[in-house]
Amino acid sequence: MSFLQKSITLTLLTLVLSSAGAIEISVNPSVGNNTTGGNDLTRLKHLTMAVGWEFSPNAESTAALKKLGVKKIRCINVDGLPGSFDNSGNYIIDESHRTRLATHLATCKELNAAPHIIIGQRMPKALLIKAKIKDDGISLMGGGKKSKVCGPSDYRLYRNYWLAYFEYVVIKKGFTNAVFEVFNEPDIGGVICPTPNIPARGSAALYEVMFKLYSETAKAATEFEKKHPEHKLTIGGPALAWAYTFRFGSFNWAERFVKDCAKHKLKLDFIGVHFYGNISSISGEYKAGYPSFLGMLKSLRDVRDNYLPGVPVQINEWGPSYHTNNSPKSLVNADNIGAAWSMEFLKVILENNIRDAIYLVTTDLYQRKRKEKENIWGWPSLMVNPQIFGHPYPKAQYNLFKMISELNGSRVESTRADNINSFAVADRAKKKIQVIIWNFAAKLPENAVPLDFSQRESVSVNIQNATTFFATGEVKATRTLISRNNSNAIGLWKEKIPFSIQNTSLQTTDQGNFKIIDNSVSLGYNMPPSSIAMIEIEPAKMKK
């Protein structure tokens, strides 16, 4: 018996013995539990199938996204296509230049993924107004500094530019499934203004700038559909930082935007907002500087239902924290606490009927620190930067998404107890049950390190109607685990342990056979603080 086999066997024995007095999670494969009005498992997987495509992506990171089943790529900083206006005011794109957009679209084609294209960040040079713009140097909620250019100089040409852009992506490049989202956090400065006198963030004046630009872009989208009736264009926005104007804005931008789009009958196919775990609690479990996520969502949906019923809300940028550096407060984007928060968040948005969400980015950013290259762990990303480590090794977040991608069957009833939550599926044809359980009780302050209140817990996972479901008297259970010391690349990095595909990937920690007694089977496990486990239970192979 190898050391690993001995370790797994001893761990399993310890876990089984620890089940006495444990927190109980009950799973009943005979009772379906689709809470969304559709297929909960399909929708949960869909929530993990979209990600931004940055930084230093390569063939290996693309292959890793393919393994997860990623079907949507958020393409950012890809507008401002080179070209010129002809005498009639039509914009002619110069395709002789290699652009970021072309690179992103090539990856979308390789993955058979829909491009989710962020527009309205830039504009052609011909529409820029030369002016000296004062930059106050302030950065809020992860947002960048104010734009150093202004425009457009002509709104008719501005519409024509977007018409050409839509035709290029949808018709020329053939991405009929493309999604266009206007702006990136305009409420905290992510918008180009027509004059050098840039209004304050969150102000009524800045909102008017933003809404004017959205109006012109939406009109271009409507014109595209009239010109090309065989194509339906999907456009939305405004990709708000969102929480900022709940507290600091002249008014609530999201709610005002919905009302104004309805008032002016503008095309709006979805409402895009951003959320990070360090902004506030998910559902009001602790006080923060902003309302809880669910509180803000209810506020937005109430207005949506009154003015634009049926238009979906999307979370088109999300992660544990908006901080993106290597400070202690940022590392939640790399560790098991952030992964456990993400599982909690995914279940909440699933059960609140959010259909679309996009995790921030594919790989970590790298920068030079003195003469050395440094991986910036604080990015909400799936993998480390391949230029630093030679390979895009998976972070804890990737391993969480991998767990979810491996679920099969349909959702069934499972319970929650204290800090231990669960999501269970059953594949009746293969007589297999998979249960994801997670131990989460952390507070993610906006400008401090996370406070982890979770403790190591003994958990008993009880499978009801087991004989009926498995049609056998014995089952095999296998557990994979994400924790501080498992399936967590940053833990290895802190211990200066060299990375490998094996030690950074999702780790199997224990497995063994269990007898079914009185039509049920109980599996005992220790769950470390801020950990996520997937337990797979199937009929044991009987010895001949």
Side-chain angles (χ1 to χ4, degrees), residues 287-298:
K287 291 184 178 180
Y290 303 93
S292 69
F293 168 79
L294 287 183
M296 291 190 292
L297 181 62
K298 182 182 185 305

Side-chain angles (χ1 to χ4, degrees), residues 210-398:
M210 182 273 290
F211 189 74
K212 171 63 175 174
L213 293 175
Y214 181 83
S215 299
E216 299 299 329
T217 311
K219 290 173 184 176
T222 300
E223 184 177 346
F224 171 91
E225 290 185 333
K226 289 181 179 178
K227 186 177 179 182
H228 306 282
E230 70 278 17
H231 293 295
K232 171 75 168 66
L233 195 73
T234 302
I235 186 171
L240 297 175
W242 195 27
Y244 179 75
T245 59
F246 272 84
R247 182 175 178 185
F248 298 115
S250 297
F251 46 76
N252 188 308
W253 277 36
E255 296 175 13
R256 173 74 175 271
F257 180 75
V258 169
K259 293 177 182 178
D260 284 348
C261 284
K263 177 181 178 180
H264 296 281
K265 295 181 172 56
L266 294 176
K267 181 175 174 58
L268 180 69
D269 298 307
F270 62 89
I271 305 159
V273 292
H274 297 173
F275 183 75
Y276 288 91
N278 67 319
I279 289 292
S280 66
S281 67
I282 295 176
S283 55
E285 58 271 24
Y286 57 82
K287 291 184 178 180
Y290 303 93
S292 69
F293 168 79
L294 287 183
M296 291 190 292
L297 181 62
K298 182 182 185 305
S299 174
L300 176 54
R301 279 180 162 168
D302 285 348
V303 174
R304 184 274 314 269
D305 291 345
N306 283 330
Y307 292 88
L308 291 173
V311 176
V313 175
Q314 299 183 358
I315 314 298
N316 287 329
E317 192 180 298
W318 71 276
S321 173
Y322 67 65
H323 294 297
T324 54
N325 52 41
N326 276 344
S327 66
K329 65 185 177 184
S330 303
L331 298 186
V332 68
N333 287 323
D335 65 18
N336 55 298
I337 300 175
W341 176 89
S342 295
M343 187 63 221
E344 185 79 8
F345 183 65
L346 284 167
K347 185 169 184 273
V348 167
I349 63 174
L350 167 74
E351 294 180 346
N352 282 273
N353 254 330
I354 295 293
R355 303 290 183 86
D356 286 276
I358 305 176
Y359 198 65
L360 179 60
V361 73
T362 295
T363 64
D364 287 332
L365 177 69
Y366 85 88
Q367 65 183 22
R368 290 188 178 276
K369 188 176 182 180
R370 300 182 181 91
K371 294 183 179 181
E372 299 294 325
K373 290 181 178 180
E374 180 183 29
N375 187 77
I376 308 303
W377 287 92
W379 280 87
S381 67
L382 300 178
M383 294 167 262
V384 300
N385 191 286
Q387 293 197 34
I388 301 294
F389 296 103
H391 181 83
Y393 294 103
K395 295 167 69 175
Q397 189 77 24
Y398 181 96

Side-chain angles (χ1 to χ4, degrees), residues 32-45:
N33 187 31
N34 287 296
T35 63
T36 62
N39 186 312
D40 279 16
L41 176 56
T42 299
R43 291 185 178 178
L44 176 63
K45 286 187 173 185

